[in-house]
Amino acid sequence: GYHADRWKKLLIPYSSPTKAYFDTSDQEPFCMYNYVLDITTWNKSIRRGFIKVKITDYAGNTVESQTNSEASTFQQYKRVKILTGFHRDIEKIAKISLTFSTKTLIGPKHKLRILQMKLKSLNNPKR
């Protein structure tokens, strides 16, 4: 990470235009608990949409991910990596739930068939 007062000097020389996203929270020690969802789908047709991740620990505590602003494209047997963040940390995950949405009101509802998925903590990579 970068100190907030110096991010421009560090990022601008590497690419133009530069986009930086900062998400803050009152939770310590991290602003967000970030995970990478690595997913391979099985659908024959291409699906485009959003995935919301919900994780639950053994005590029943649940936290839901923040929705990404950009839709992901899912193709058969192609891996997609999605960065997702939570405002609270769950140390020992008992259950992972995914919700797929196209965010359209008109048209048929589509299912996303998952062949394989992996959820990896970026804050605690050994998990």
Side-chain angles (χ1 to χ4, degrees):
Y2 299 101
H3 292 282
D5 61 335
R6 296 184 302 193
W7 72 270
K8 279 188 177 182
K9 286 188 279 183
L10 293 167
L11 294 178
I12 288 176
Y14 294 109
S15 66
S16 182
T18 298
K19 288 185 182 179
Y21 300 93
F22 299 100
D23 195 351
T24 59
S25 172
D26 60 355
Q27 302 296 317
E28 288 291 328
F30 303 104
C31 295
M32 289 288 287
Y33 296 92
N34 296 299
Y35 288 78
V36 172
L37 176 64
D38 186 348
I39 189 168
T40 304
T41 56
W42 186 52
N43 292 66
K44 290 182 181 175
S45 302
I46 294 173
R47 301 279 188 252
R48 186 158 171 75
F50 305 87
I51 288 188
K52 190 170 260 196
V53 181
K54 186 168 34 171
I55 54 178
T56 306
D57 67 8
Y58 289 97
N61 299 311
T62 301
V63 64
E64 206 168 277
S65 68
Q66 302 303 303
T67 304
N68 293 340
S69 59
E70 291 185 31
S72 297
T73 302
F74 302 96
Q75 299 177 39
Q76 189 177 31
Y77 306 129
K78 300 282 184 184
R79 290 175 63 192
V80 176
K81 290 185 179 185
I82 302 168
L83 178 66
T84 186
F86 300 89
H87 285 293
R88 196 166 35 104
D89 192 24
I90 299 267
E91 190 172 332
K92 294 185 178 180
I93 298 173
K95 180 180 173 184
I96 301 170
S97 303
L98 303 178
T99 304
F100 174 70
S101 171
T102 58
K103 290 197 176 181
T104 59
L105 299 174
I106 302 171
K109 293 190 178 195
H110 295 287
K111 291 183 179 180
L112 192 65
R113 295 184 174 143
I114 297 171
L115 186 62
Q116 176 182 345
M117 77 171 191
K118 187 186 316 182
L119 188 66
K120 183 175 182 178
S121 172
L122 294 177
N123 297 96
N124 301 292
K126 293 183 180 181
R127 282 194 201 162

